[in-house]
Amino acid sequence: MNRRKFIKVVTFGAMAIYLSGCGLTAIENDKNKKESGVSAHGNVSGGKSMKIVVINSSPHSESQSTSRYLAQKFVDGAKSAGHEVFIFDAANEKTNPCRGCDQCGMDGACIFDDAIENKLMPEMLKADLLVLVTPLYYFGMSAQLKTVVDRFYARTTKISGKKSMIIATAWNSADWTMEALQNHYETLVRYMSWQDVGQIWATGCGTRSMVESSEFGDTAFKIGAAL
Ligand SMILES: Cc1cc2nc3c(=O)[nH]c(=O)nc-3n(C[C@H](O)[C@H](O)[C@H](O)COP(=O)(O)O)c2cc1C
């Protein structure tokens, strides 16, 4: 083995040991992602404290919601690693869907003087990582989250290039349950030039007891803690 090859092998080995030590294996290929419902890219902050914006969108309460449960686990993990977290509650804030009026010119203030414009957008502009959280609704994101996402239009350029992540929960557990939403999310990542740092596709998690007895809670914490 020549020197270059040796360094490569040692580096990969060290990375694998580090990630499994965190209880988090970097899963990058589609087959594994489909089987486990999770992908994550480990340490993406370079040890610096990141500003994270979490957008919850379930109309279920904090104590009932499956997606809020996983989001909170992720937040607990991220805070334990010293990151700063802002949570936006899309289902309970005053929001308006984009009217396509183009007054913003895709790079300015929205005509709506609502919580998206006044509470969320200032935090998003400062954020390093955006986390979309949704229950699966008819194989897509909730209308509450889609309302927020469409309003990204007003700041398309300014919020491009950020890191992103998605957490979604669903009742069904067939391997195609999340396919359409995953395609949508990955297309969004591509268009916005985001860097995807994690995906949690929590199938078979239709109720609070189902999600609490699954492994997704632990995984969400570990992904947050390993950022
Ligand atoms: C309007 C609506 C549509 C839904 N559509 C789907 C679906 O397409 N596939 C699925 O597996 N579950 C579907 N579900 C179930 C939810 O995704 C599931 O119960 C989820 O855990 C709810 O998350 P939450 O408690 O955070 O809102 C739907 C539920 C509702 C209310």
Side-chain angles (χ1 to χ4, degrees), residues 82-209:
H83 301 295
E84 201 183 300
V85 182
F86 173 82
I87 302 176
F88 186 75
D89 186 355
N92 292 301
E93 289 283 5
K94 178 92 191 81
T95 65
N96 292 280
C98 176
R99 292 175 57 120
C101 67
D102 251 324
Q103 293 286 311
C104 63
M106 291 182 83
D107 191 25
C110 179
I111 54 161
F112 289 118
D113 189 24
D114 62 7
I116 298 178
E117 183 66 8
N118 297 321
K119 287 192 192 171
L120 175 62
M121 211 38 94
E123 298 296 332
M124 281 187 63
L125 292 172
K126 289 185 283 181
D128 301 295
L129 168 61
L130 310 174
V131 185
L132 309 181
V133 185
T134 185
L136 187 71
Y137 277 5
Y138 286 92
F139 306 100
M141 62 181 70
S142 66
Q144 290 84 346
L145 180 58
K146 185 64 163 57
T147 299
V148 171
V149 169
D150 287 352
R151 294 279 299 280
F152 290 175
Y153 187 80
R155 302 293 191 320
T156 304
T157 315
K158 293 201 173 82
I159 60 171
S160 71
K162 293 185 183 287
K163 294 178 178 56
S164 71
M165 185 173 153
I166 188 162
I167 300 173
T169 54
W171 185 282
N172 295 324
S173 49
D175 65 357
W176 50 268
T177 301
M178 296 290 195
E179 222 165 73
L181 180 56
Q182 187 177 342
N183 277 336
H184 187 176
Y185 168 71
E186 288 176 355
T187 304
L188 195 57
V189 165
R190 185 175 178 173
Y191 173 70
M192 299 297 288
S193 301
W194 285 344
Q195 180 198 347
D196 167 53
V197 302
Q199 303 178 19
I200 300 179
W201 304 110
T203 53
C205 290
T207 63
R208 189 61 177 238
S209 60

